[in-house]
Amino acid sequence: MPIFKSLTAVLLVALMAQPAWSEARVAVSIKPLHSLVTAVTGELAQVQLLVGDNSSPHLYSMKASSARALADADLVVWAGEGMERFLVGPIKALAAGTRQLQLAALPGMHTLPLRANPLNADAGAHGHDDEHGHGEIDYHLWLEPDNA
């Protein structure tokens, strides 16, 4: 529950920095985070999903519509470079006034160690222990109930 309060506070502060006459524009990387951000912001923001339903964030190549949404965003919410590696460069290139919220970097975020993929049991034998580039922690942060 503390992380939910932290996320809510950070999102509300970011949204309150918007002029009263405009709706905040939030770009969110992936569907699970989009659902959480939409629940927190309600009607205070226009929340745009960057990676569509049929795409994997591990292999995603940004489309023009996603690049436009990212460029127009007042706030970008993402798990972190271990999940959405495609966002690392574009986030560095954001306009100076654009805020970004990397959830894995939030204080109090409960992280779990990266687990072996049981569906790909022979991955280690082929040198693919870290096939998605997640690193040391599991960036599926929303799967930890306290985080969600």
Side-chain angles (χ1 to χ4, degrees), residues 3-20:
I3 198 67
F4 180 74
K5 290 179 183 176
S6 296
L7 177 60
T8 302
V10 170
L11 287 172
L12 289 176
V13 167
L15 295 174
M16 290 159 91
Q18 284 299 107

Side-chain angles (χ1 to χ4, degrees), residues 50-70:
L50 297 177
V51 179
D53 292 337
N54 297 325
S55 299
S56 166
H58 306 295
L59 305 171
Y60 188 70
S61 181
M62 196 171 319
K63 297 176 183 174
S65 59
S66 294
R68 195 173 321 107
L70 190 61

Side-chain angles (χ1 to χ4, degrees), residues 4 7 11 15 23-43 45-53 55 57 66 69-70 73 75-80 83-84 86-87 101 103 139-143 147-148:
F4 180 74
L7 177 60
L11 287 172
L15 295 174
E23 183 177 51
R25 295 165 303 202
V26 181
V28 182
S29 59
I30 56 177
K31 190 79 167 173
L33 302 181
H34 180 267
S35 296
L36 293 171
V37 170
T38 301
V40 171
T41 60
E43 294 183 15
Q46 175 188 9
V47 182
Q48 178 85 33
L49 177 64
L50 297 177
V51 179
D53 292 337
S55 299
S66 294
L70 190 61
L75 173 67
V76 178
V77 180
W78 62 313
M83 175 65 73
E84 308 100 337
F86 73 93
L87 276 176
L101 178 61
L103 298 179
Y139 278 82
H140 298 87
L141 303 167
W142 59 93
L143 296 177
N147 293 343

Side-chain angles (χ1 to χ4, degrees), residues 89-113:
I91 282 183
K92 288 179 183 175
L94 289 174
T98 305
R99 293 177 172 86
Q100 64 103 7
L101 178 61
Q102 182 180 352
L103 298 179
L106 284 177
M109 182 64 69
H110 297 278
T111 59
L112 299 172

